[in-house]
């Protein structure tokens, strides 16, 4: 468990609370509750009441919606140092998606009864507004991708977006760290796992990509860009 000073350090490094006053960070550190989650544990479910927002301390939280056939669509991914469930600051609504832990995860929860102190801070209001706007833009990009583009374009865009630059001092190719399993990636791209696997294997045979299950190496980035932005 994190003591108060360690909580203050974690909060002070987060995307939401970085640069806030020491008194505000101390207030949040004092009143938040630490929670440990195992893989696939639920943080909250769609249509739950908005009781808290959460800062991810370690691990990852996926935001998920489910179709009538039970298929999952991952609509957001929140890693350590970032906030999830910030819509709790909007009164009169319910959760718009469910949130699950990916692997061993720890979060700090701040309950609704403490929000008034946060909302009295102008910097916090500006920061949360920017965060909500980024979330909205991300959802719009996701909607465009899953509705208007074929699987190979969606996969190519995912790889390009999450690509880690190659080290210019060594002769290595750019690569992409992959989710824990193909099921998660399939849920991100609005497809089935078998269809995704077929597409990945085809690109491997063509030499476009290579690598192991936890990391994909991009062998021909120009070809991948053409796949990403080809007309459907």
């Amino acid at each position: 468990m994190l003591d108060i000073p360690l909580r203050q350090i974690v909060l002070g490094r987060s995307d939401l609370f970085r640069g806030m006053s020491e008194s505000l960070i101390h207030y949040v550190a004092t009143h938040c509750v630490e929670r440990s989650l195992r893989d696939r544990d639920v943080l909250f479910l769609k249509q739950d009441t908005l009781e808290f927002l959460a800062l991810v301390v370690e691990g990852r939280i996926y935001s998920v919606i489910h179709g009538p056939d039970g298929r999952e669509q991952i609509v957001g991914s929140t890693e350590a140092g970032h906030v999830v469930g910030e819509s709790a600051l909007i009164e009169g609504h319910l959760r718009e998606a469910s949130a699950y832990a990916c692997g061993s995860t720890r979060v700090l929860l701040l309950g609704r009864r403490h929000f008034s102190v946060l909302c009295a801070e102008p910097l916090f209001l500006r920061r949360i507004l920017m965060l909500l706007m980024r979330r909205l833009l991300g959802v719009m990009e996701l909607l465009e991708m899953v509705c208007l583009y074929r699987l190979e374009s969606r996969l190519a865009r995912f790889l390009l977006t999450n690509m880690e630059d190659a080290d210019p001092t060594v002769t290595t190719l750019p690569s992409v760290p992959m989710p824990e399993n193909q099921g998660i990636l399939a849920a991100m791209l609005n497809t089935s796992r078998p269809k995704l696997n077929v597409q990945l294997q085809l690109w491997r045979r063509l030499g476009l990509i290579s690598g192991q299950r936890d990391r994909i190496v991009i062998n021909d980035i120009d070809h991948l860009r053409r796949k990403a932005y080809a007309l459907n």
Side-chain angles (χ1 to χ4, degrees):
M1 300 291 287
L2 298 176
D3 57 20
I4 299 299
L6 282 177
R7 289 184 182 183
Q8 290 182 235
I9 292 173
V10 170
L11 289 164
R13 293 174 177 172
S14 69
D15 64 336
L16 183 56
F17 293 100
R18 186 182 299 112
M20 298 286 181
S21 67
E22 291 185 7
S23 60
L24 183 67
I25 291 178
H26 179 74
Y27 177 85
V28 176
T30 302
H31 292 91
C32 64
V33 176
E34 185 174 342
R35 181 179 173 188
S36 296
L37 302 170
R38 296 170 298 179
D39 186 45
R40 295 294 298 178
D41 276 355
V42 174
L43 179 61
F44 53 76
L45 292 172
K46 184 176 181 180
Q47 299 300 311
D48 278 356
T49 55
L50 303 174
E51 298 297 335
F52 61 84
L53 59 80
L55 174 71
V56 181
V57 177
E58 63 180 35
R60 183 180 296 273
I61 295 290
Y62 284 124
S63 299
V64 180
I65 57 176
H66 294 87
D69 59 353
R71 179 184 294 181
E72 292 184 344
Q73 171 69 57
I74 294 177
V75 295
S77 175
T78 307
E79 59 187 9
H82 298 271
V83 171
V84 64
E86 69 283 350
S87 60
L89 291 159
I90 305 173
E91 296 184 3
H93 292 271
L94 300 174
R95 294 291 185 190
E96 70 281 359
S98 300
Y100 298 89
C102 179
S104 179
T105 300
R106 280 195 299 166
V107 294
L108 295 176
L109 310 180
L110 186 68
R112 169 174 287 280
R113 64 183 180 277
H114 303 296
F115 289 175
S116 59
V117 174
L118 298 181
C119 293
E121 170 57 53
L123 178 56
F124 176 84
L125 292 178
R126 291 196 297 271
R127 193 74 58 75
I128 201 69
L129 177 60
M130 294 302 297
L131 177 59
L132 290 169
M133 290 176 66
R134 288 199 300 269
R135 296 272 201 244
L136 176 59
L137 290 174
V139 170
M140 292 174 66
E141 290 174 359
L142 176 65
L143 181 62
E144 176 187 359
M145 183 178 69
V146 299
C147 292
L148 301 179
Y149 292 91
R150 295 178 298 179
L151 173 58
E152 66 172 1
S153 294
R154 301 200 302 271
L155 178 57
R157 288 180 177 220
F158 171 85
L159 296 177
L160 291 171
T161 299
N162 294 278
M163 181 176 61
E164 295 179 347
D165 292 332
D167 187 340
T169 64
V170 295
T171 56
T172 57
L173 294 167
S175 63
V176 181
M178 300 302 289
E180 286 69 14
N181 58 67
Q182 279 193 9
I184 292 176
L185 182 55
M188 290 179 171
L189 299 176
N190 192 31
T191 190
S192 66
R193 185 170 179 174
K195 289 180 179 179
L196 173 62
N197 188 55
V198 167
Q199 187 64 63
L200 288 169
Q201 294 304 322
L202 173 61
W203 283 0
R204 285 191 173 95
R205 290 196 297 271
L206 293 173
L208 180 58
I209 61 173
S210 59
Q212 304 302 316
R213 294 184 63 181
D214 63 337
R215 182 171 292 272
I216 285 181
V217 176
I218 300 174
N219 299 319
D220 189 341
I221 191 169
D222 290 333
H223 192 177
L224 192 68
R225 287 195 178 104
R226 290 195 294 272
K227 292 287 188 183
Y229 300 103
L231 295 176
N232 288 269

